[in-house]
Amino acid sequence: MKEWNAKLRKESYALDRQVRSIKREEDKIKKSLKDAAKKNDKQVCTILAKEVVRSRKAINRINASKAQLSSVQLQMQQQMGESHPLPDLET
């Protein structure tokens, strides 16, 4: 159980790192997009704008995956809690 939780946490952190790297790339693309817009280069602007949209979709997919991981982790904890009931406290 502990090993599975550790693996799930590790995967969650890896997904966070991916999101951060995608956001960094998106910021670079936005800067390039602004530069291309100043130069009135419509074709480059279109390509870069599509890339920004793709990066946002990728971030949304990663966040959905992370939500599923946390759901699995909570379900595992719930199952373990149900399989190991607390002893009756008699006073």
Side-chain angles (χ1 to χ4, degrees), residues 20-54:
R20 282 193 302 272
S21 68
I22 291 172
K23 284 185 179 180
R24 277 193 302 268
E25 290 298 320
E26 184 179 336
D27 291 339
K28 291 177 188 176
I29 293 170
K30 284 181 185 178
K31 186 176 183 298
S32 300
L33 180 62
K34 288 180 183 179
D35 292 340
K38 286 179 185 176
K39 295 177 183 175
N40 289 329
D41 196 350
K42 187 174 180 178
Q43 186 178 8
V44 173
C45 287
T46 305
I47 293 169
L48 292 173
K50 287 181 181 179
E51 196 63 35
V52 169
V53 171
R54 282 189 204 107

Side-chain angles (χ1 to χ4, degrees), residues 26-88:
E26 184 179 336
D27 291 339
K28 291 177 188 176
I29 293 170
K30 284 181 185 178
K31 186 176 183 298
S32 300
L33 180 62
K34 288 180 183 179
D35 292 340
K38 286 179 185 176
K39 295 177 183 175
N40 289 329
D41 196 350
K42 187 174 180 178
Q43 186 178 8
V44 173
C45 287
T46 305
I47 293 169
L48 292 173
K50 287 181 181 179
E51 196 63 35
V52 169
V53 171
R54 282 189 204 107
S55 67
R56 289 182 183 168
K57 285 183 181 179
I59 289 173
N60 288 337
R61 284 193 301 268
I62 290 172
N63 285 335
S65 298
K66 189 175 173 192
Q68 288 177 340
L69 278 178
S70 64
S71 173
V72 167
Q73 190 172 14
L74 288 173
Q75 287 176 358
M76 284 176 29
Q77 288 174 352
Q78 183 181 10
Q79 289 295 324
M80 288 301 292
E82 290 175 0
S83 66
H84 297 295
L86 293 174
D88 290 335

